[in-house]
């Protein structure tokens, strides 16, 4: 029995569309449950954090990546491997600090907003995709990298691109292991 070559991509696309629609329904329900956008943003961040601390095991098992030696390598791994693996997009990376601990992931296309045209005027401070910030933060913490992750630009708010800022909070520590 043979399979048509496009079948796997079709299933993947249906799954992604279902995820995006389900995510939109989740955000809509949270907007009904909470009056303040800040509460919705915090809930999405907490939810993403919980996903991230669990997702890192799957990522490490499926990607078979080596240990990153710098913040730059870590950020490249997030952009080139993790985003591609889970969302099907590859954001560009830019370093925005002389110290080398602040980076931006720039998404030309954000798959989570495929079916969203714009945010309602009364929800102007809503960070619709804040789940992504929590996922990144949770995954990084599980590999002992404390980071602050925030949206810097958002197409849903009229910006040209979607930009996620990652600021690593500690200097890399050289740990010496006794044998």
């Amino acid at each position: 029995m043979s399979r048509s070559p496009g079948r796997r991509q079709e299933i993947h696309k249906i799954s992604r569309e279902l995820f995006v629609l389900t995510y939109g329904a989740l955000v809509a329900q949270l907007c009904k449950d909470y009056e303040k956008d800040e509460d919705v943003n915090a809930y999405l961040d907490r939810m993403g954090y919980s996903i991230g601390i669990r997702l890192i095991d799957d990522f490490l098992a499926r990607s078979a990546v080596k240990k990153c030696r710098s913040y730059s390598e870590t950020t490249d791994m997030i952009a080139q491997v993790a985003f591609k693996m889970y969302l099907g997009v590859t954001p560009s990376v830019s370093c925005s600090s002389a110290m080398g601990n602040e980076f931006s992931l720039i998404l030309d296309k954000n798959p989570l907003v495929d079916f969203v045209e714009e945010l309602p005027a009364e929800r102007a401070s809503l960070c619709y995709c804040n789940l992504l910030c929590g996922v990144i933060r949770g995954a990084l913490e599980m590999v002992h990298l404390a980071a602050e992750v925030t949206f810097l630009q958002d197409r849903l708010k009229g910006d040209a691109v979607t930009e996620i800022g990652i600021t690593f909070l500690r200097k890399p520590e050289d740990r010496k292991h006794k044998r």
Side-chain angles (χ1 to χ4, degrees):
M1 191 189 249
S2 68
R3 290 185 177 175
S4 62
R7 179 83 173 133
R8 184 154 173 18
Q9 285 182 331
E10 183 180 311
I11 290 171
H12 178 71
K13 184 176 179 181
I14 291 170
S15 298
R16 187 174 113 186
E17 287 177 354
L18 178 62
F19 172 71
V20 171
L21 288 169
T22 304
Y23 182 74
L26 169 73
V27 174
Q29 185 61 49
L30 288 173
C31 287
K32 288 178 184 175
D33 293 346
Y34 296 100
E35 289 181 24
K36 295 180 182 176
D37 290 344
E38 294 77 23
D39 295 338
V40 176
N41 294 342
Y43 191 91
L44 289 171
D45 183 72
R46 282 192 314 271
M47 181 183 274
Y49 179 83
S50 294
I51 292 169
I53 62 175
R54 289 167 181 79
L55 193 66
I56 191 68
D57 288 331
D58 179 66
F59 172 76
L60 293 172
R62 289 177 57 196
S63 67
V65 297
K66 303 278 186 227
K67 181 179 179 178
C68 296
R69 304 254 179 239
S70 68
Y71 290 145
S72 177
E73 283 183 34
T74 302
T75 307
D76 286 340
M77 190 63 58
I78 292 168
Q80 296 171 4
V81 180
F83 266 79
K84 183 71 173 171
M85 185 184 295
Y86 294 107
L87 293 175
V89 296
T90 305
S92 58
V93 177
S94 68
C95 182
S96 55
S97 76
M99 292 178 57
N101 69 327
E102 294 180 21
F103 297 86
S104 290
L105 301 175
I106 300 167
L107 293 121
D108 293 324
K109 183 173 179 355
N110 182 351
L112 289 182
V113 299
D114 280 351
F115 302 109
V116 181
E117 292 181 21
E118 62 183 32
L119 295 175
E122 66 273 5
R123 291 293 184 172
S125 61
L126 176 68
C127 191
Y128 183 84
C129 297
N130 213 35
L131 181 93
L132 293 176
C133 293
V135 169
I136 295 168
R137 189 172 52 85
L140 287 172
E141 279 191 24
M142 291 307 292
V143 292
H144 307 289
L145 292 172
E148 182 179 300
V149 185
T150 57
F151 268 90
L152 303 175
Q153 295 186 70
D154 193 346
R155 277 199 165 154
L156 290 178
K157 295 181 180 182
D159 296 319
V161 294
T162 300
E163 181 179 3
I164 301 171
I166 301 173
T167 302
F168 293 97
L169 300 176
R170 284 185 246 138
K171 290 184 179 181
E173 297 173 3
D174 294 334
R175 294 184 181 172
K176 295 180 182 178
H177 298 285
K178 293 182 180 178
R179 293 184 182 188

